[in-house]
């Protein structure tokens, strides 16, 4: 059975690629089918695993069937003790609640199950697109659980974006990630919360202390090293990918411009390591020309670029 994931309209491409990356981190033969605001995944990994990691997916579950006419609906699954029917309208037309009421009524007659709006054993999703109508099911709602941040900082990544960039790296539980500009540790926290080993580096002692506090607030044990980013070369055999968020401006400790820093950093990134790099729009360097890029507007003086190179 294929899994489905409904995507938000904002950051749709990023959300789609995040889902695909998570699935590929467990199963490189993942098959994907896309339609606007919807992605179907056929993979060895369960949809619940993908949903528990994904940042942006709104609704998820398994696709059971498609239908054209309500009278021809076939939902070949065991009778649930209780259920609810919900419509997800991804089409360009307005649809009211009559479709879900009609299908809900039909399933109630067929199954004789109770309808439970608040705590159903099964949710039946009627997903309507401009091309097709799908029937999806889920027996639970799965949402990611973010780690806590004991100490915050104005320049930190938000946890959602932190999780998303870790997922774009296509690393899973058996792998190790390095963030050589770890700041308050957002990327390390999200990585370790998903079972990925992480090593953080920051040349600012205070940032390293903040990261350590944030890690211990979650009972995490990722390594934190107070050093220049090039320290990562000492671990290059250990690490499978680099996921990082570069400085956006000139820091008080460094006279190197952010543009220079991006270039210098990229010149030492070990070849054949997956790289996911967040940087300020405007700092583009030609080394990232071939990378897949996503723009995230934060405020009028900060638009972030997420660059993913393989
Ligand atoms: C944009 S911040 C990272 C924020 C982090 N993602 C978070 O969520 O807190 C960039 C970090 O790079 C560190 N940094 C700047 N230059 C560095 C260098 N040459 N080597 C290592 N770290 C450096 C800064 O101290 C800062 O904490």
């Amino acid at each position: 059975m294929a899994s489905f994931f409904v995507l938000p309209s904002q950051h749709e491409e990023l959300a789609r690629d995040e889902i695909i990356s998570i699935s590929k981190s467990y199963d490189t033969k993942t098959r994907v089918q896309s339609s606007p605001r919807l992605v179907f995944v056929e993979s060895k990994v369960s949809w619940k695993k993908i949903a528990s990691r994904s940042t942006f997916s709104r609704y998820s579950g398994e696709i059971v069937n498609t239908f054209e006419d309500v009278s021809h609906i076939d939902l070949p699954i065991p009778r649930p003790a209780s259920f609810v029917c919900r419509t997800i309208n991804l089409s360009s037309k307005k649809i009211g609640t009559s479709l879900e009421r009609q299908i809900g009524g039909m399933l109630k007659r067929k199954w004789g199950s109770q309808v439970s709006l608040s705590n159903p054993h099964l949710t039946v999703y009627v997903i309507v697109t401009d091309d097709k109508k799908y029937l999806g099911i889920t027996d639970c709602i799965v949402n990611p659980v973010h780690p806590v941040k004991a100490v915050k900082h104005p320049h930190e990544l938000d946890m959602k974006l932190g999780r998303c960039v870790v997922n774009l790296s296509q690393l899973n539980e058996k792998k190790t990630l390095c963030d050589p500009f770890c700041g308050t540790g957002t990327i390390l926290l999200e990585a370790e919360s998903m079972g990925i080993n992480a090593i953080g580096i920051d040349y600012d002692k205070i940032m390293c202390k903040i990261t350590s506090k944030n890690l211990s607030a979650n009972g995490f044990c990722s390594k934190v090293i107070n050093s220049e980013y090039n320290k990562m070369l000492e671990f290059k055999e250990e690490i499978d990918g680099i996921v990082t968020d570069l400085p956006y401006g000139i820091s008080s400790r460094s006279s190197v411009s952010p543009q220079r820093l991006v270039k210098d950093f990229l010149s030492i990134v070990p070849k054949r390591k997956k790289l996911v790099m967040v940087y300020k729009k405007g700092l583009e360097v030609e080394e990232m020309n071939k990378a897949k890029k996503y723009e995230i507007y934060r405020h009028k003086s900060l638009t972030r670029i997420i660059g993913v190179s393989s």
Side-chain angles (χ1 to χ4, degrees):
M1 235 186 266
S3 309
F4 74 88
F5 300 87
V6 176
L7 310 170
S9 50
Q10 199 193 16
H11 309 316
E12 181 178 340
E13 193 190 8
L14 181 60
R16 187 185 309 278
D17 288 352
E18 186 196 23
I19 299 282
I20 297 169
S21 295
I22 298 169
S23 186
K24 284 192 172 166
S25 78
Y26 297 99
D27 180 1
T28 50
K29 293 193 177 124
T30 292
R31 290 198 302 179
V32 178
Q33 222 188 304
S34 286
S35 88
R37 300 225 13 234
L38 194 56
V39 60
F40 301 108
V41 169
E42 275 182 72
S43 161
K44 281 189 203 141
V45 66
S46 74
W47 71 266
K48 287 180 188 170
K49 180 74 185 178
I50 299 174
S52 73
R53 284 188 56 168
S54 84
T55 313
F56 296 111
S57 158
R58 289 271 170 85
Y59 307 96
S60 48
E62 286 173 319
I63 285 293
V64 185
N65 219 337
T66 56
F67 70 98
E68 280 182 18
D69 191 278
V70 177
S71 58
H72 293 124
I73 277 183
D74 182 22
L75 203 55
I77 54 166
R79 169 194 177 277
S82 66
F83 78 102
V84 68
C85 198
R86 302 258 182 235
T87 309
I88 302 174
N89 182 15
L90 305 177
S91 76
S92 49
K93 294 189 197 97
K94 272 203 166 163
I95 50 172
T97 54
S98 67
L99 188 63
E100 76 186 23
R101 276 194 277 120
Q102 245 181 310
I103 297 174
M106 198 209 77
L107 292 173
K108 188 170 163 52
R109 284 191 296 282
K110 179 184 166 192
W111 286 331
S113 313
Q114 291 205 330
V115 171
S116 165
L117 298 180
S118 56
N119 195 18
H121 288 84
L122 188 81
T123 300
V124 177
Y125 288 116
V126 181
I127 306 169
V128 183
T129 70
D130 281 329
D131 300 328
K132 263 188 184 156
K133 296 188 194 78
Y134 301 87
L135 290 169
I137 54 165
T138 174
D139 57 2
C140 62
I141 308 294
V142 182
N143 285 314
V145 180
H146 292 280
V148 294
K149 263 266 176 93
V151 188
K152 291 179 170 268
H153 191 276
H155 302 306
E156 68 189 14
L157 273 187
D158 67 80
M159 301 301 274
K160 275 183 148 196
L161 210 51
R163 173 167 289 242
C164 179
V165 290
V166 173
N167 285 329
L168 291 172
S169 71
Q170 296 191 11
L171 299 178
N172 67 20
E173 286 87 343
K174 296 176 201 99
K175 304 291 185 198
T176 301
L177 152 168
C178 178
D179 178 357
F181 299 90
C182 70
T184 59
T186 315
I187 288 170
L188 310 182
L189 290 166
E190 289 293 350
E192 192 166 345
S193 77
M194 294 188 280
I196 299 163
N197 303 319
I199 302 170
I201 300 169
D202 201 294
Y203 79 167
D204 187 333
K205 216 183 244 170
I206 295 170
M207 285 301 175
C208 290
K209 277 195 181 143
I210 294 178
T211 291
S212 298
K213 278 190 188 154
N214 285 333
L215 289 167
S216 58
N218 293 277
F220 290 171
C221 58
S222 297
K223 214 185 273 182
V224 187
I225 302 161
N226 180 210
S227 182
E228 287 280 337
Y229 63 87
N230 54 7
K231 183 87 176 166
M232 74 179 176
L233 295 179
E234 289 179 24
F235 304 99
K236 75 173 181 213
E237 302 308 326
E238 233 176 281
I239 59 182
D240 301 287
I242 296 158
V243 181
T244 197
D245 171 30
L246 276 99
Y248 305 130
I250 296 181
S251 103
S252 51
R253 273 205 45 191
S254 162
S255 54
V256 179
S257 71
Q259 186 116 28
R260 182 77 250 162
L261 190 64
V262 173
K263 259 190 160 314
D264 292 349
F265 166 66
L266 286 172
S267 72
I268 66 148
V269 168
K271 300 248 174 321
R272 291 195 299 277
K273 300 280 180 201
K274 189 87 185 181
L275 171 68
V276 181
M277 185 173 103
V278 183
Y279 54 102
K280 190 177 176 179
K281 187 177 177 184
L283 296 184
E284 278 92 319
V285 281
E286 64 199 41
E287 289 86 336
M288 291 303 276
N289 279 356
K290 286 193 189 142
K292 173 103 195 231
K293 296 195 197 93
Y294 311 85
E295 260 191 48
I296 310 281
Y297 175 84
R298 179 91 172 86
H299 51 69
K300 72 174 187 312
S301 46
L302 177 62
T303 295
R304 290 184 170 111
I305 304 285
I306 300 174
V308 181
S309 72
S310 42

